[in-house]
Amino acid sequence: NAGVTQTPKFQVLKTGQSMTLQCAQDMNHEYMSWYRQDPGMGLRLIHYSVGAGITDQGEVPNGYNVSRSTTEDFPLRLLSAAPSQTSVYFCASGGHHGTGELFFGEGSRLTVL
Amino acid sequence: DAKTTQPNSMESNEEEPVHLPCNHSTISGTDYIHWYRQLPSQGPEYVIHGLTSNVNNRMASLAIAEDRKSSTLILHRATLRDAAVYYCILRAPTSGTYKYIFGTGTRLKVLA
């Protein structure tokens, strides 16, 4: 079972560059989300989606864009990377309802120089 | 959005029970209480969840206060592999809000 797949696992960017972190799930989950985790800190919600064509902001959305054109994919775009965006990014998916568990990807470690 | 409060860190001796508390005083009637844990260098993984009654599974037990304003995750015999950060979050199936806020969690240290 693939579950939640994130790519790339590691990425180094220069300030001002743009990139997209990919997230794909094969469990037909309606809910998908992106979190960032800074060293020694908890997870902070960036954006989330409750279905194709529907996205909303989380706790720390500035500097990030998302779209949800299919149920399976939920890419996270950094339009102009900043050193403050150096972090580990986790994608999660889950059932639409509160009873279901969230499944997390293995994370993408991003360094912005 | 309903929030949870957890101690920053706890310690336990190996093979002893561990009780990890979580306060959620603003919980609504339809919020489910979920627990996740994050092992070093990994993504979080589901541990257990409940609504009103206490729950048991192969990993842990969840004790929910009668007024639902707090809950406790119980690891019956801590092992070194249980050293992780444990997160308590609330999930609502019908409230229309899906901001699942993890917070900073409780870092559990297990002593050999």
Side-chain angles (χ1 to χ4, degrees):
Chain A
N1 291 337
V4 178
T5 303
Q6 291 184 232
T7 56
K9 288 187 169 49
F10 301 94
Q11 183 72 50
V12 179
L13 289 178
K14 293 181 180 178
T15 297
Q17 287 185 317
S18 63
M19 77 156 301
T20 299
L21 298 176
Q22 302 289 347
C23 177
Q25 52 94 6
D26 61 358
M27 297 171 282
N28 201 32
H29 286 157
E30 294 174 313
Y31 178 82
M32 296 186 74
S33 57
W34 277 102
Y35 292 87
R36 62 174 287 175
Q37 186 171 38
D38 298 333
M41 305 291 288
L43 291 95
R44 291 186 291 172
L45 180 64
I46 304 172
H47 285 285
Y48 65 95
S49 168
V50 296
I54 305 169
T55 64
D56 206 346
Q57 297 181 346
E59 302 172 272
V60 288
N62 292 342
Y64 306 94
N65 281 351
V66 293
S67 60
R68 185 91 179 272
S69 57
T70 67
T71 299
E72 295 77 21
D73 301 299
F74 190 44
L76 179 71
R77 297 183 184 85
L78 286 72
L79 298 179
S80 179
S84 60
Q85 294 179 303
T86 294
S87 190
V88 179
Y89 292 83
F90 290 100
C91 178
S93 75
H96 203 247
H97 302 292
T99 57
E101 64 181 275
L102 292 176
F103 295 83
F104 282 82
E106 294 182 347
S108 297
R109 184 175 296 274
L110 174 66
T111 301
V112 183
L113 303 176
Chain B
D1 302 324
K3 295 291 175 64
T4 62
T5 304
Q6 300 175 254
N8 287 335
S9 63
M10 292 184 65
E11 282 188 1
S12 172
N13 293 321
E14 197 175 12
E15 297 191 4
E16 289 188 355
V18 181
H19 291 233
L20 298 167
C22 180
N23 288 321
H24 28 79
S25 58
T26 60
I27 191 170
S28 72
T30 56
D31 285 340
Y32 282 78
I33 302 159
H34 282 238
W35 283 82
Y36 289 78
R37 73 178 187 180
Q38 186 176 21
L39 302 173
S41 301
Q42 295 188 24
E45 64 177 353
Y46 167 82
V47 177
I48 200 167
H49 78 274
L51 183 61
T52 56
S53 303
N54 294 344
V55 184
N56 301 298
N57 67 21
R58 64 175 179 82
M59 291 180 69
S61 295
L62 176 60
I64 301 172
E66 195 169 336
D67 63 6
R68 299 205 334 120
K69 293 183 185 295
S70 66
S71 62
T72 302
L73 179 71
I74 302 166
L75 307 179
H76 295 287
R77 287 179 70 242
T79 70
L80 296 178
R81 287 171 294 184
D82 291 322
V85 178
Y86 288 79
Y87 298 97
C88 165
I89 70 168
L90 303 179
R91 293 197 69 196
T94 58
S95 70
T97 178
Y98 299 96
K99 291 186 179 182
Y100 302 128
I101 306 300
F102 271 69
T104 55
T106 297
R107 183 175 299 276
L108 176 65
K109 184 176 181 179
V110 180
L111 305 175

